[in-house]
Structures are given as C-alpha cells and as structure tokens.
Amino acid sequence: MKRVVVKVCGITEERDAIEAVHLGVDALGFNFWKESPRYVEPTAVRRMVDKLPALVHKVGVFVNDPLIRVLEVAREAGLTAIQFHGDEVPSLCAAVAPMPWIKAVRVGADFDPESLSRYATTTYLLDGHRDGAYGGTGAVFEWRRARAWSVYGNLVIAGGLDPQNVAMAIEDARPYGVDVASGVEILPGKKDLDRLELFVEAVRRAERRIAQEAGA
C-alpha cells in the first residue's frame, strides 16, 4: 500500500501549524467559512504559510463562496490547493485551475458515488454526513463502502476520525489520504499535539501492517 497522506484541518494557530509539520503531517487545512468556529483570516494564514516548508500543502477550505472570493483569498493567504466543501457546481470548481483543487462530498445512506464523476478533479474528500452541516460534525460513514469508489480518483476519508479509529478506517477504505480536525482538538481550532502525534503514528502503523500482509 502506498503512503497515506495525512491532512489536518481547522488550523488557526502558528504553533499548531509548525508542530503538525514536525509530526509528519502532509497537508494543513485552513477554514475560510465564516460560520465555522475554526474560521481564520487570510492575513493570519499568510503569516503561518510564510514559515512553513514549501512542499507542505496549504489547503483553503471554502463553502459556497463566489469564485472571486476564492481566488482573492487563495492569493492573499498563499494557498497551494483549494477544497470546495459546499454545494459548488462543477464549473465553478474547475475555474480555479491551474491551482489544484479537491471536492468534498457528504456521504450519507443515499450517497451516489457516480456523482463524483461530475467533478473534473483527481481527488475527492468523503466526509461523514449530518443534515444541514458542512463538515466538522464528527459523523462517521461506513468506510468499507469507499474501497470500490477509488475508481473515480484519489479518496481522502474524513469525518469522526481520531487516533483510536483511523487505523480501522485505513484498513477498511484503503484511501489515498485521511483528514482530521475535531479528533485531535482540545477546542475547535486548538490542536492537541499529543493526540495528533498518536494519530500520525496510528496511520503509519496501519500502512506497515497492510504492506506486510501484501508481502506475505
């Protein structure tokens, strides 16, 4: 199994951003949805981004924003990728090219994986669904269902992940990546670095176990 990408979302503090990178996190998510308790100003993100390694992904999370705001914030904050986490139409998402982008989808009992094919991207984030919410709810879906959906692209699993269950999520879904927010927090936007370290360690152990089984 290939290395699983680890993304930590809802970063609001410089210390958390820098320490997350030291712990081996691959991508940091910054929430620009103003209704979120993890909302952060673009200027604050820029100050953090300027202190981060160039090869760490800096992902801006947007919910139903006009294209012009997405592009303005991306430039101001120094983002390297966009995550559309609302009900954005495919044409709006594609208009941010050549910047890489991710489409997040809410996975409930009636989720149709064919809907992923509407979005011309390489990577999709599958988030646990709770009515009326756009992410950060801690809702979990049946991860094993996602294994067959990899035919549509690279899949990132999100929703209710924590150090105790992320290995099982990887075993079940065999994803490209995992995304965590509340599962490694003290408060919304404030990370518990001990829990984050345990989370990353659990991901790497799951990788090794799967690789060993494949080689047996």
Side-chain angles (χ1 to χ4, degrees):
M1 181 177 179
K2 294 181 180 179
R3 187 176 187 276
V4 177
V5 171
V6 176
K7 175 174 174 282
V8 177
C9 207
I11 295 287
T12 63
E13 298 183 0
E14 180 182 304
R15 169 181 170 270
D16 289 347
I18 292 172
E19 290 300 322
V21 172
H22 287 327
L23 292 174
V25 169
D26 304 287
L28 303 177
F30 303 97
N31 199 320
F32 297 110
W33 185 38
K34 292 186 177 181
E35 295 183 35
S36 171
R38 300 175 182 88
Y39 172 77
V40 62
E41 290 287 345
T43 51
V45 172
R46 187 59 187 241
R47 288 193 294 271
M48 290 185 251
V49 163
D50 286 345
K51 297 181 180 180
L52 297 174
L55 296 183
V56 172
H57 297 293
K58 298 90 177 178
V59 184
V61 179
F62 296 87
V63 176
N64 298 334
D65 272 310
L67 177 62
I68 189 169
R69 179 175 186 260
V70 174
L71 296 175
E72 287 175 349
V73 171
R75 183 185 68 252
E76 184 177 3
L79 304 179
T80 60
I82 302 296
Q83 178 177 315
F84 290 105
H85 213 99
D87 303 308
E88 297 87 2
V89 297
S91 58
L92 184 146
C93 299
V96 301
M99 178 170 282
W101 55 278
I102 302 165
K103 183 66 183 84
V105 295
R106 300 188 293 280
V107 180
D110 58 350
F111 174 67
D112 178 10
E114 179 64 25
S115 64
L116 299 176
S117 64
R118 297 175 55 227
Y119 292 89
T121 185
T122 62
T123 308
Y124 306 89
L125 186 143
L126 307 178
D127 201 5
H129 177 56
R130 188 165 292 167
D131 290 344
Y134 291 104
T137 66
V140 174
F141 66 92
E142 188 179 351
W143 300 309
R144 187 170 292 275
R145 295 169 61 201
R147 192 180 295 197
W149 304 341
S150 62
V151 296
Y152 295 99
N154 300 313
L155 302 182
V156 178
I157 302 298
L161 296 181
D162 59 36
Q164 287 71 46
N165 67 14
V166 68
M168 183 180 295
I170 292 170
E171 292 271 2
D172 286 353
R174 305 296 171 96
Y176 166 76
V178 291
D179 185 297
V180 66
S182 60
V184 294
E185 286 184 330
I186 301 168
L187 297 168
K190 174 62 178 174
K191 304 308 179 191
D192 182 330
L193 296 175
D194 290 333
R195 286 181 61 78
L196 180 55
E197 183 174 14
L198 292 172
F199 185 91
V200 175
E201 289 175 351
V203 171
R204 302 305 166 216
R205 282 198 304 272
E207 281 177 356
R208 291 192 295 271
R209 185 164 55 250
I210 293 170
Q212 289 169 358
E213 290 173 356

